[in-house]
Every structure is written in C-alpha cells, then in structure tokens.
Amino acid sequence: MKNNIGMTLETIKNIGLNDNDQLLELGHGNCGHLKLILQQARSIRYSGLEISSTMHQQASADHRAEIAQRQASFRLYDGLHIPFQDELFDKIISVNTLYFWEDIPALLAEIRRVLKPEGCVAITFADRAFYGDFAFYKIRIQSV
C-alpha cells in the first residue's frame, strides 16, 4: 500500500528542527510521526492544521499527552486561511497536500505570512505516478 510515511520522515529529517522551534504542519493526518518530531530537538512546539475532521479527531485522541503537556496542538482549518498570527513559525511542513489546495497562490501567501523572516518551508509531494492508481488523487492531481 502506498502511504506518506517515508516522505514525511524525510521531510522532518531535512527541515532541520532546532531547540525551541515552532513547527506548523498543514495536513497532519493522524500525526503518527509526532513523537519523532518531538525527539528531533528540545522544546519543539508543534501545531497541526487539518481540513479533515476525521483526521483531526484521530490525531487529537492519539496525542492527548502531548496536547496536555502543551507540546502539540491540532486545529481544523478551511484549507486557505491559516489561523495564526504573523511570523510565528520557524518551520512549516506539508506532505502530499498540494493536490488539495483550492488556491495555491493564496495559501502560499498565508504560509509566508505566518513564517518568521529566517524560517524554512518544506512542501513535499509525489509525482503523478505515485498516486496514479487512485482515481480520486488522479482527478485532483490533473487539476493542479
């Protein structure tokens, strides 16, 4: 079965998390990779945004301890407006969500708005062949 975990792990590794970084992830899914993120450096603060209420609920339930310790937070969003203040995040990641972005330039502008001036963004996505077997993805990818 094809999945995002390998791409997600490489993205986390390559973003270069540092102590006290504020990390935003767009499209966290179940966030099974949260413990790995929090192990990359000390005092990382993770914020996850998701358009799927099912994935938001699952991540929130699976990571109650990290939420209680204020290491992580999960929020639903509309896929366009990032509900955070300007220049808050040191790093921003998103893996295989680009296909679902309704307005790519507008969301990129939002990403830039919430990123600190010296921040770093990693938007990782597979080419069409990766999801070619899945009709839903095929339709979305062709429209990008």
Short mmCIF file of all heavy atoms in Angstrom, two decimals, residues 26-51:
data_model
loop_
_atom_site.label_atom_id
_atom_site.label_comp_id
_atom_site.label_asym_id
_atom_site.label_seq_id
_atom_site.Cartn_x
_atom_site.Cartn_y
_atom_site.Cartn_z
N LEU A 26 0.77 21.48 7.80
CA LEU A 26 -0.52 21.54 7.10
C LEU A 26 -0.85 20.14 6.61
O LEU A 26 -0.08 19.54 5.87
CB LEU A 26 -0.43 22.49 5.90
CG LEU A 26 -0.02 23.93 6.21
CD1 LEU A 26 0.06 24.73 4.92
CD2 LEU A 26 -0.98 24.57 7.18
N GLY A 27 -1.98 19.62 7.05
CA GLY A 27 -2.41 18.28 6.65
C GLY A 27 -1.70 17.20 7.43
O GLY A 27 -1.02 16.35 6.87
N HIS A 28 -1.87 17.19 8.74
CA HIS A 28 -1.14 16.26 9.61
C HIS A 28 -1.64 14.83 9.57
O HIS A 28 -0.97 13.93 10.07
CB HIS A 28 -1.14 16.77 11.05
CG HIS A 28 -2.50 17.01 11.62
ND1 HIS A 28 -3.38 16.00 11.92
CD2 HIS A 28 -3.12 18.17 11.93
CE1 HIS A 28 -4.49 16.53 12.42
NE2 HIS A 28 -4.35 17.85 12.44
N GLY A 29 -2.82 14.57 9.00
CA GLY A 29 -3.36 13.21 9.03
C GLY A 29 -3.50 12.75 10.47
O GLY A 29 -3.88 13.54 11.34
N ASN A 30 -3.16 11.48 10.76
CA ASN A 30 -3.26 11.00 12.14
C ASN A 30 -2.06 11.41 12.98
O ASN A 30 -2.03 11.18 14.17
CB ASN A 30 -3.46 9.49 12.18
CG ASN A 30 -2.24 8.72 11.70
OD1 ASN A 30 -1.17 9.28 11.43
ND2 ASN A 30 -2.39 7.42 11.57
N CYS A 31 -1.06 12.01 12.36
CA CYS A 31 0.14 12.53 13.02
C CYS A 31 0.89 11.44 13.77
O CYS A 31 1.43 11.67 14.85
CB CYS A 31 -0.16 13.73 13.92
SG CYS A 31 1.30 14.79 14.13
N GLY A 32 0.96 10.27 13.18
CA GLY A 32 1.72 9.17 13.76
C GLY A 32 3.20 9.48 13.90
O GLY A 32 3.93 8.77 14.59
N HIS A 33 3.64 10.53 13.28
CA HIS A 33 5.05 10.94 13.29
C HIS A 33 5.36 11.99 14.36
O HIS A 33 6.49 12.47 14.44
CB HIS A 33 5.43 11.48 11.91
CG HIS A 33 4.48 12.52 11.41
ND1 HIS A 33 3.27 12.20 10.83
CD2 HIS A 33 4.54 13.87 11.41
CE1 HIS A 33 2.64 13.31 10.49
NE2 HIS A 33 3.40 14.34 10.84
N LEU A 34 4.40 12.34 15.20
CA LEU A 34 4.61 13.42 16.17
C LEU A 34 5.75 13.11 17.14
O LEU A 34 6.58 13.98 17.42
CB LEU A 34 3.33 13.71 16.95
CG LEU A 34 3.45 14.81 18.00
CD1 LEU A 34 3.84 16.15 17.36
CD2 LEU A 34 2.14 14.96 18.78
N LYS A 35 5.83 11.90 17.67
CA LYS A 35 6.89 11.57 18.62
C LYS A 35 8.26 11.75 17.98
O LYS A 35 9.18 12.27 18.63
CB LYS A 35 6.72 10.15 19.15
CG LYS A 35 5.52 10.02 20.08
CD LYS A 35 5.48 8.67 20.76
CE LYS A 35 4.20 8.39 21.49
NZ LYS A 35 3.75 9.35 22.44
N LEU A 36 8.41 11.38 16.72
CA LEU A 36 9.68 11.59 16.02
C LEU A 36 10.01 13.08 15.91
O LEU A 36 11.15 13.49 16.15
CB LEU A 36 9.63 10.97 14.62
CG LEU A 36 10.88 11.23 13.79
CD1 LEU A 36 12.09 10.50 14.36
CD2 LEU A 36 10.65 10.84 12.35
N ILE A 37 9.01 13.89 15.60
CA ILE A 37 9.23 15.34 15.52
C ILE A 37 9.74 15.86 16.86
O ILE A 37 10.73 16.59 16.92
CB ILE A 37 7.93 16.07 15.12
CG1 ILE A 37 7.64 15.84 13.63
CG2 ILE A 37 8.02 17.57 15.43
CD1 ILE A 37 6.29 16.34 13.17
N LEU A 38 9.08 15.47 17.93
CA LEU A 38 9.42 15.99 19.25
C LEU A 38 10.78 15.50 19.74
O LEU A 38 11.38 16.11 20.63
CB LEU A 38 8.32 15.65 20.25
CG LEU A 38 6.96 16.29 19.95
CD1 LEU A 38 5.91 15.80 20.94
CD2 LEU A 38 7.04 17.81 19.91
N GLN A 39 11.29 14.43 19.14
CA GLN A 39 12.61 13.90 19.50
C GLN A 39 13.75 14.58 18.74
O GLN A 39 14.91 14.38 19.06
CB GLN A 39 12.67 12.40 19.22
CG GLN A 39 11.79 11.57 20.11
CD GLN A 39 11.68 10.13 19.65
OE1 GLN A 39 12.21 9.73 18.62
NE2 GLN A 39 10.98 9.33 20.44
N GLN A 40 13.44 15.39 17.76
CA GLN A 40 14.47 16.00 16.91
C GLN A 40 15.28 17.07 17.64
O GLN A 40 16.43 17.32 17.29
CB GLN A 40 13.85 16.60 15.65
CG GLN A 40 13.17 15.59 14.74
CD GLN A 40 14.14 14.54 14.25
OE1 GLN A 40 15.13 14.86 13.61
NE2 GLN A 40 13.86 13.28 14.55
N ALA A 41 14.68 17.72 18.61
CA ALA A 41 15.35 18.79 19.35
C ALA A 41 14.54 19.05 20.63
O ALA A 41 13.43 18.53 20.79
CB ALA A 41 15.45 20.06 18.50
N ARG A 42 15.07 19.88 21.50
CA ARG A 42 14.39 20.16 22.76
C ARG A 42 13.35 21.27 22.59
O ARG A 42 13.54 22.20 21.82
CB ARG A 42 15.39 20.59 23.82
CG ARG A 42 16.29 19.44 24.28
CD ARG A 42 17.27 19.86 25.33
NE ARG A 42 18.13 20.91 24.78
CZ ARG A 42 18.68 21.87 25.49
NH1 ARG A 42 18.49 21.94 26.78
NH2 ARG A 42 19.44 22.79 24.92
N SER A 43 12.27 21.12 23.31
CA SER A 43 11.23 22.15 23.43
C SER A 43 10.62 22.58 22.10
O SER A 43 10.31 23.75 21.90
CB SER A 43 11.78 23.38 24.17
OG SER A 43 12.22 23.02 25.46
N ILE A 44 10.45 21.63 21.19
CA ILE A 44 9.74 21.93 19.95
C ILE A 44 8.26 22.08 20.28
O ILE A 44 7.70 21.32 21.07
CB ILE A 44 9.93 20.80 18.91
CG1 ILE A 44 11.39 20.75 18.46
CG2 ILE A 44 8.99 20.96 17.73
CD1 ILE A 44 11.74 19.57 17.59
N ARG A 45 7.63 23.06 19.68
CA ARG A 45 6.19 23.27 19.83
C ARG A 45 5.56 23.03 18.46
O ARG A 45 5.84 23.74 17.50
CB ARG A 45 5.92 24.65 20.38
CG ARG A 45 6.36 24.78 21.84
CD ARG A 45 6.28 26.17 22.39
NE ARG A 45 6.92 27.21 21.58
CZ ARG A 45 8.22 27.52 21.59
NH1 ARG A 45 9.05 26.86 22.34
NH2 ARG A 45 8.69 28.49 20.83
N TYR A 46 4.71 22.03 18.41
CA TYR A 46 4.09 21.57 17.16
C TYR A 46 2.65 22.05 17.06
O TYR A 46 1.88 21.91 18.02
CB TYR A 46 4.13 20.03 17.10
CG TYR A 46 3.36 19.45 15.95
CD1 TYR A 46 3.99 19.17 14.75
CD2 TYR A 46 2.00 19.18 16.07
CE1 TYR A 46 3.27 18.64 13.68
CE2 TYR A 46 1.28 18.65 15.01
CZ TYR A 46 1.92 18.38 13.82
OH TYR A 46 1.20 17.86 12.76
N SER A 47 2.29 22.59 15.90
CA SER A 47 0.89 22.94 15.61
C SER A 47 0.51 22.24 14.32
O SER A 47 1.22 22.35 13.32
CB SER A 47 0.74 24.45 15.43
OG SER A 47 1.09 25.14 16.60
N GLY A 48 -0.59 21.54 14.35
CA GLY A 48 -1.06 20.85 13.16
C GLY A 48 -2.40 21.40 12.71
O GLY A 48 -3.28 21.63 13.53
N LEU A 49 -2.52 21.62 11.40
CA LEU A 49 -3.79 22.05 10.81
C LEU A 49 -4.27 20.98 9.86
O LEU A 49 -3.48 20.39 9.12
CB LEU A 49 -3.61 23.36 10.04
CG LEU A 49 -3.30 24.60 10.86
CD1 LEU A 49 -3.12 25.80 9.94
CD2 LEU A 49 -4.39 24.87 11.88
N GLU A 50 -5.56 20.76 9.85
CA GLU A 50 -6.14 19.69 9.03
C GLU A 50 -7.50 20.13 8.50
O GLU A 50 -8.24 20.81 9.20
CB GLU A 50 -6.26 18.43 9.90
CG GLU A 50 -6.80 17.21 9.21
CD GLU A 50 -5.97 16.76 8.02
OE1 GLU A 50 -4.82 16.35 8.20
OE2 GLU A 50 -6.50 16.83 6.88
N ILE A 51 -7.80 19.74 7.27
CA ILE A 51 -9.13 20.01 6.71
C ILE A 51 -10.09 18.86 6.97
O ILE A 51 -11.29 19.04 6.91
CB ILE A 51 -9.07 20.33 5.19
CG1 ILE A 51 -8.50 19.16 4.40
CG2 ILE A 51 -8.28 21.60 4.94
CD1 ILE A 51 -8.58 19.31 2.89
#
